[in-house]
Amino acid sequence: MPFIHTQVHRDTPQAQRQGIVDGIHQALIDAIGMPQDELFNRVSAYAPGDFFYSRSFNGMARSDKLVVVEITMRRGRSDAMKRDLYARIARNLKANAGVAPDDVFIFTHENDYSDWSVGGGKFAMALVQQPGPT
């Protein structure tokens, strides 16, 4: 179950925020086989003076509306799967929310089941995953 933290410029309209969340979610489904009902994405907004970054690092042409996608997920995805995931996120954000690919900054944190409790204060390794209603 990936947990996503997405940071957007505070002037990002709600409809665009929803398009960003939807684009990330669909990329996770398509690239790593995440179940449809595993949507956990916390969106935070930053003000212009709260986030400093290079507009040209690594040859990119970033605007003042950078979207940062932080993905925490269980270990085990190959580099090829992550490469596909990153490409899909950038494509989906452009298509769904009009975000320029150079404005999409993605990074992951990986851990194990023992690092999660997904509800009820229960150790995630002790739970059998229960799919939600379809």
Side-chain angles (χ1 to χ4, degrees), residues 1-4 70-77 82 108-118 124-125:
M1 179 204 85
F3 183 88
I4 316 306
E70 183 177 354
I71 303 169
T72 302
M73 63 183 170
R74 182 179 41 83
R75 277 184 189 79
R77 277 60 177 218
K82 290 180 205 174
T108 61
H109 305 280
E110 294 183 306
N111 54 33
D112 296 308
Y113 278 121
S114 63
D115 299 310
W116 294 82
S117 173
V118 297
M125 287 183 73

Side-chain angles (χ1 to χ4, degrees), residues 59-80:
M60 299 295 132
R62 294 179 185 86
S63 75
D64 62 347
K65 303 279 175 93
L66 189 68
V67 175
V68 178
V69 181
E70 183 177 354
I71 303 169
T72 302
M73 63 183 170
R74 182 179 41 83
R75 277 184 189 79
R77 277 60 177 218
S78 68
D79 287 351

Side-chain angles (χ1 to χ4, degrees), residues 44 48 57 65 75 91 103 114 118 126 130 132:
S44 300
F57 175 74
K65 303 279 175 93
R75 277 184 189 79
R91 275 195 313 268
D103 282 340
S114 63
V118 297
Q130 301 293 319

Side-chain angles (χ1 to χ4, degrees), residues 25-122:
H25 188 64
Q26 191 61 52
L28 286 159
I29 292 167
D30 295 340
I32 67 169
M34 185 183 76
Q36 180 74 33
D37 70 338
E38 287 189 16
L39 172 60
F40 296 92
N41 189 326
R42 180 171 50 104
V43 178
S44 300
Y46 61 85
D50 293 339
F51 185 28
F52 300 87
Y53 55 89
S54 169
R55 302 219 179 198
S56 60
F57 175 74
N58 211 25
M60 299 295 132
R62 294 179 185 86
S63 75
D64 62 347
K65 303 279 175 93
L66 189 68
V67 175
V68 178
V69 181
E70 183 177 354
I71 303 169
T72 302
M73 63 183 170
R74 182 179 41 83
R75 277 184 189 79
R77 277 60 177 218
S78 68
D79 287 351
M81 290 174 83
K82 290 180 205 174
R83 189 176 297 111
D84 184 39
L85 174 63
Y86 303 156
R88 287 176 186 269
I89 289 173
R91 275 195 313 268
N92 290 355
L93 268 55
K94 182 177 182 184
N96 292 6
V99 176
D102 282 1
D103 282 340
V104 180
F105 189 96
I106 306 164
F107 62 98
T108 61
H109 305 280
E110 294 183 306
N111 54 33
D112 296 308
Y113 278 121
S114 63
D115 299 310
W116 294 82
S117 173
V118 297
K122 296 179 182 176

